[in-house]
Amino acid sequence: METNLTSVPTVETDLLRGQDIRHDIRTLKSVGELFEDREALAILPPDTPAYEVFSYLPVPEGTTGGLFYGITRIHPLLVGDEYMMTKGHFHAQTDRAEFYWGIRGEGILLMMDTRRHIRTERVSPGSLHYIPGGFAHRMINTGDTLFSFGACWPSDAGHDYETIAREGFPARIKKVNGTPRILKTE
Ligand code: M6P
Ligand code: ZN
C-alpha cells in the first residue's frame, strides 16, 4: 500500500519556511522600553524592525514532553550606544532549560539567575549555548551585521516577560570606543 509523505518545514541557514511556521516581527516601538537612552530612542522611527522570530510549534503551547524550535534574527541597530537585544525572559515553568546556538553574525548571550547573578557567553556561528532552568536569557547583537541564532525549548516552558519588564537585567551591553562592553548596573 502506498502512502503520502508528510510535508515538513525547512531550515535555510537562518530562515524557517513551511506552512506551519510562525513569523513575528518585533518593532522598536514594542521593545523601546528596554533601552536606557530614551532621547536616542525618540529619534528612531518606531516601526523600524528590531528583531524577527520564526518559530515552529508542532504541538500546542503547554504540552508536556514536546519541543519548540525557533530562529531569531536581530537587526544591527544601536539605540544611543546600546546594542539591539531581545526582550529576554525567564520560563514560566522555571525549571525548563533551552538551547541557543549562533548561526550568523556576532552577539552575546546574557543569562541571569533568580538571585540576579549574571553569566555571559560570546555567540558566533556554530557556538552552542545551554541555558539551565531558572536562568533568564537575552541575546544582544554586538556586530555591525544581522545576528541570527537558533533555539530549542520545551513546549511547556512558557515565557515570563513580566519579571524582566519590572526588574530588568543588572547589566547593559554598550559600544564603548568601538567595541562591546558588558557594563554592570548594580
Ligand atoms: C528564541 C526563543 C523564543 C523567544 C525568541 C525571542 O527564539 O527563546 O522563545 O521568543 O528567542 O526572545 P524573546 O521572547 O525574549 O524576545
Ligand atoms: Zn526561553
Side-chain angles (χ1 to χ4, degrees), residues 26 51 53 70-72 86-89 98 100 137 149 151 153 159 161:
R26 310 226 164 116
Y51 63 97
V53 184
I71 292 176
T72 301
T86 59
K87 290 208 271 189
H89 57 271
E98 183 163 3
Y100 274 180
H137 36 291
F149 66 94
W153 68 101
H159 294 84
Y161 291 110

Side-chain angles (χ1 to χ4, degrees), residues 111-119 135 170 184:
M111 291 181 271
M112 172 180 72
D113 68 17
T114 50
R115 293 182 313 168
R116 301 186 63 74
H117 293 160
I118 60 166
R119 193 193 282 189
F135 278 77
K184 294 191 82 173

